[in-house]
Amino acid sequence: MPASESDPAAEWDAMYAERSTVWSGEPNAQLVAEVTPLAPGTALDVGCGEGADAVWLAQRGWDVTAVDVSEVALDRARAHAASAAVAISFEHVDLVATPPTPEAYDLVSAQFFHLPDPPRGQAYQGLGAAVAPGGHLLVVGHYPSEHIGKDHPERLFTTDEIVTLLGDDWQVVTSDVRERTAVHHGELTDLVDGVVLMKRAG
Ligand SMILES: C[S@@+](CC[C@H](N)C(=O)[O-])C[C@H]1O[C@@H](n2cnc3c(N)ncnc32)[C@H](O)[C@@H]1O
């Protein structure tokens, strides 16, 4: 995780450039758990990284827009989509500077989109605003109780923070803290995920 957000594109590009592959290439476990029961529609993958979630969604019939601030990550995500033979709309966007289009998506998925606050609150409200009436917002992050985020505690958030940010117009479908063991930056690691799935009033 870059140390600051002063130039997120350059910082994330540099992080990705350190290795030919950073993430596992598999979809995130909580995405699979929460989204499998939903009917496909339009989806926004926020900070899509190397594209595994976007490819998984597209393979299940979602019409996916995948956004990242890093061109290095987007190039890998485009290659992943091409090898999986799925069509995905990739966009190079800083979602803090340019929030997504309001009410445009049936699903907005933010997996490990860790920002300091500010701008986290405003950015996540923008993600909520991008959900169409009746659609879902899925937010998954490293929960503050575990060691993964110790170097960047200011970037960690609780499930309650997300639920409170969105307010009354939303139904809480899932608000949970889940432990799992997975390969993280090349090492088998105990992880704790905060998982929030919210449904916007129709
Ligand atoms: C921790 S990685 C998670 C990647 C992917 N969601 C996953 O779970 O494998 C966070 C991603 O968010 C992207 N990102 C960070 N700040 C961003 C911003 N302001 N706008 C868009 N993308 C951003 C980074 O480039 C990076 O790919």
Side-chain angles (χ1 to χ4, degrees):
M1 225 178 262
S4 76
E5 287 289 310
S6 55
D7 186 352
E11 289 160 7
W12 281 99
D13 277 349
M15 191 283 284
Y16 280 107
E18 283 171 13
R19 301 185 197 191
S20 58
T21 305
V22 173
W23 312 118
S24 69
E26 299 297 323
N28 279 299
Q30 311 306 345
L31 174 84
V32 173
E34 297 298 321
V35 172
T36 294
L38 303 181
T42 51
L44 175 68
D45 185 6
V46 171
C48 66
E50 292 167 331
D53 285 358
V55 166
W56 182 85
L57 286 163
Q59 287 172 330
R60 271 142 199 88
W62 290 85
D63 178 4
V64 183
T65 300
V67 170
D68 206 284
V69 76
S70 166
E71 275 289 12
V72 178
L74 284 168
D75 283 346
R76 293 178 192 171
R78 286 188 194 99
H80 190 167
S83 69
V86 289
I88 292 170
S89 174
F90 289 103
E91 294 180 7
H92 182 220
V93 177
D94 178 345
L95 285 163
V96 172
T98 309
T101 306
E103 302 195 356
Y105 301 98
D106 299 308
L107 172 69
V108 173
S109 171
Q111 304 279 327
F112 306 103
F113 187 58
H114 287 282
L115 301 169
D117 194 20
R120 183 171 65 244
Q122 193 178 346
Y124 272 93
Q125 280 173 333
L127 300 184
V131 176
H136 291 82
L137 173 67
L138 175 62
V139 177
V140 178
H142 295 303
Y143 201 72
S145 63
E146 54 94 29
H147 67 281
I148 291 294
K150 264 193 181 150
D151 293 342
H152 303 287
E154 75 288 353
R155 289 172 183 257
L156 301 185
F157 52 85
T158 63
T159 48
D160 284 350
E161 177 182 323
I162 301 300
V163 170
T164 305
L165 262 179
L166 292 175
D168 294 341
D169 202 26
W170 294 80
Q171 173 199 345
V172 182
V173 180
T174 301
S175 178
D176 205 3
V177 177
R178 298 175 184 162
E179 297 183 7
R180 66 190 167 97
T181 303
V183 175
H184 186 81
H185 290 281
E187 288 182 15
L188 202 60
T189 309
D190 292 329
L191 299 168
V192 184
D193 296 331
V195 184
V196 176
L197 180 66
M198 306 279 283
K199 181 174 172 135
R200 192 171 191 174

